[in-house]
Protein backbone atom coordinates (compact mmCIF):
# COMPACT_ATOMS: atom_id res chain seq x y z
CA UNK A 1 0.00 0.00 0.00
CA UNK A 2 2.84 2.36 0.87
CA UNK A 3 4.52 1.71 -2.50
CA UNK A 4 1.29 2.47 -4.36
CA UNK A 5 0.82 5.74 -2.49
CA UNK A 6 4.40 6.76 -3.24
CA UNK A 7 3.88 5.93 -6.93
CA UNK A 8 0.72 8.06 -7.05
CA UNK A 9 2.52 10.99 -5.42
CA UNK A 10 5.39 10.67 -7.87
CA UNK A 11 3.03 10.67 -10.84
CA UNK A 12 1.13 13.68 -9.45
CA UNK A 13 4.43 15.57 -9.13
CA UNK A 14 5.34 14.68 -12.72
CA UNK A 15 1.94 15.93 -13.91
CA UNK A 16 2.46 19.24 -12.10
CA UNK A 17 5.91 19.59 -13.67
CA UNK A 18 4.47 18.87 -17.13
CA UNK A 19 1.69 21.42 -16.64
CA UNK A 20 4.28 24.05 -15.67
CA UNK A 21 6.39 23.20 -18.74
CA UNK A 22 3.34 23.47 -21.02
CA UNK A 23 2.47 26.85 -19.49
CA UNK A 24 6.03 28.13 -20.09
CA UNK A 25 5.97 27.04 -23.73
CA UNK A 26 2.53 28.56 -24.32
CA UNK A 27 3.67 31.89 -22.90
CA UNK A 28 6.24 32.08 -25.70
CA UNK A 29 3.82 31.32 -28.53
CA UNK A 30 2.07 34.19 -30.23
CA UNK A 31 -1.69 33.63 -30.44
CA UNK A 32 -1.84 31.09 -27.61
CA UNK A 33 -3.66 33.55 -25.35
CA UNK A 34 -6.36 33.96 -27.97
CA UNK A 35 -6.83 30.19 -28.05
CA UNK A 36 -6.89 30.01 -24.25
CA UNK A 37 -9.74 32.53 -24.16
CA UNK A 38 -12.05 30.01 -25.86
CA UNK A 39 -14.29 28.27 -23.30
CA UNK A 40 -13.35 24.62 -22.86
CA UNK A 41 -9.77 25.00 -24.07
CA UNK A 42 -7.20 24.89 -21.32
CA UNK A 43 -3.43 24.88 -21.51
CA UNK A 44 -3.11 21.19 -22.36
CA UNK A 45 -5.72 21.32 -25.14
CA UNK A 46 -4.26 24.57 -26.49
CA UNK A 47 -0.79 23.03 -26.66
CA UNK A 48 -2.19 19.95 -28.37
CA UNK A 49 -4.15 21.99 -30.90
CA UNK A 50 -1.18 24.21 -31.71
CA UNK A 51 1.07 21.19 -32.04
CA UNK A 52 -1.27 19.32 -34.37
CA UNK A 53 -2.34 22.30 -36.50
CA UNK A 54 1.06 23.84 -37.02
CA UNK A 55 0.92 27.01 -39.13
CA UNK A 56 -2.73 28.03 -39.37
CA UNK A 57 -2.05 30.10 -42.50
CA UNK A 58 -1.68 26.94 -44.59
CA UNK A 59 -5.45 26.35 -44.40
CA UNK A 60 -7.76 28.20 -46.79
CA UNK A 61 -10.70 28.43 -44.37
CA UNK A 62 -12.38 26.72 -41.42
CA UNK A 63 -13.81 24.02 -43.68
CA UNK A 64 -10.27 22.99 -44.63
CA UNK A 65 -9.36 22.67 -40.95
CA UNK A 66 -12.48 20.58 -40.29
CA UNK A 67 -11.58 18.28 -43.17
CA UNK A 68 -7.98 18.02 -41.93
CA UNK A 69 -9.31 17.02 -38.50
CA UNK A 70 -11.72 14.50 -40.02
CA UNK A 71 -14.81 16.33 -38.77
CA UNK A 72 -16.72 16.37 -42.05
CA UNK A 73 -19.33 14.01 -43.41
CA UNK A 74 -19.47 12.16 -46.69
CA UNK A 75 -21.83 13.40 -49.38
CA UNK A 76 -24.13 10.92 -51.06
CA UNK A 77 -26.02 12.47 -53.94
CA UNK A 78 -27.30 11.64 -57.37
CA UNK A 79 -28.97 14.30 -59.48
CA UNK A 80 -31.41 16.20 -57.26
CA UNK A 81 -31.26 13.54 -54.50
CA UNK A 82 -29.02 14.10 -51.54
CA UNK A 83 -28.96 11.59 -48.67
CA UNK A 84 -29.75 12.92 -45.21
CA UNK A 85 -27.93 10.23 -43.21
CA UNK A 86 -24.25 10.02 -44.01
CA UNK A 87 -21.19 8.86 -42.10
CA UNK A 88 -18.22 10.90 -40.92
CA UNK A 89 -15.08 10.56 -43.03
CA UNK A 90 -12.52 8.14 -41.63
CA UNK A 91 -9.46 10.10 -42.68
CA UNK A 92 -8.02 13.08 -40.87
CA UNK A 93 -5.73 13.85 -37.97
CA UNK A 94 -7.14 11.78 -35.11
CA UNK A 95 -5.21 13.66 -32.44
CA UNK A 96 -6.51 17.04 -33.62
CA UNK A 97 -10.03 15.57 -33.74
CA UNK A 98 -9.57 14.30 -30.17
CA UNK A 99 -8.53 17.72 -28.85
CA UNK A 100 -11.39 19.50 -30.60
CA UNK A 101 -14.05 17.00 -29.48
CA UNK A 102 -12.82 16.88 -25.88
CA UNK A 103 -12.68 20.68 -25.69
CA UNK A 104 -16.26 20.84 -27.00
CA UNK A 105 -17.36 18.21 -24.47
CA UNK A 106 -15.85 20.16 -21.59
CA UNK A 107 -18.00 23.17 -22.42
Amino acid sequence: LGTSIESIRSIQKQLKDLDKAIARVLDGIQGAQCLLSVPGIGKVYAAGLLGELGDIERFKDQAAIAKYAGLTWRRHQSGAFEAENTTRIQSGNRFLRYYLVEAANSV
Side-chain angles (χ1 to χ4, degrees), residues 57-91:
E57 298 297 323
R58 66 188 177 125
F59 298 102
K60 183 176 72 172
D61 55 8
Q62 69 270 17
I65 295 172
K67 188 170 184 175
Y68 178 72
L71 292 173
T72 58
W73 284 258
R74 297 183 191 276
R75 291 187 64 189
H76 295 287
Q77 69 181 59
S78 176
F81 171 78
E82 186 165 347
E84 292 180 19
N85 296 328
T86 59
T87 59
R88 186 181 50 80
I89 63 172
Q90 297 297 315
S91 62

Side-chain angles (χ1 to χ4, degrees), residues 35 38-41 45-46 48-50 52-53 62 65-71 93-107:
L35 192 57
V38 176
I41 297 181
Y45 288 148
L49 288 170
L50 290 170
E52 293 299 325
L53 277 174
Q62 69 270 17
I65 295 172
K67 188 170 184 175
Y68 178 72
L71 292 173
N93 186 322
R94 64 186 175 120
F95 299 110
L96 178 59
R97 182 171 51 247
Y98 168 80
Y99 289 125
L100 290 171
V101 170
E102 288 300 315
N105 284 337
S106 69
V107 173

Side-chain angles (χ1 to χ4, degrees), residues 1 3 15 21 29 54 70 88:
L1 187 60
T3 305
L15 285 173
I29 297 176
R88 186 181 50 80

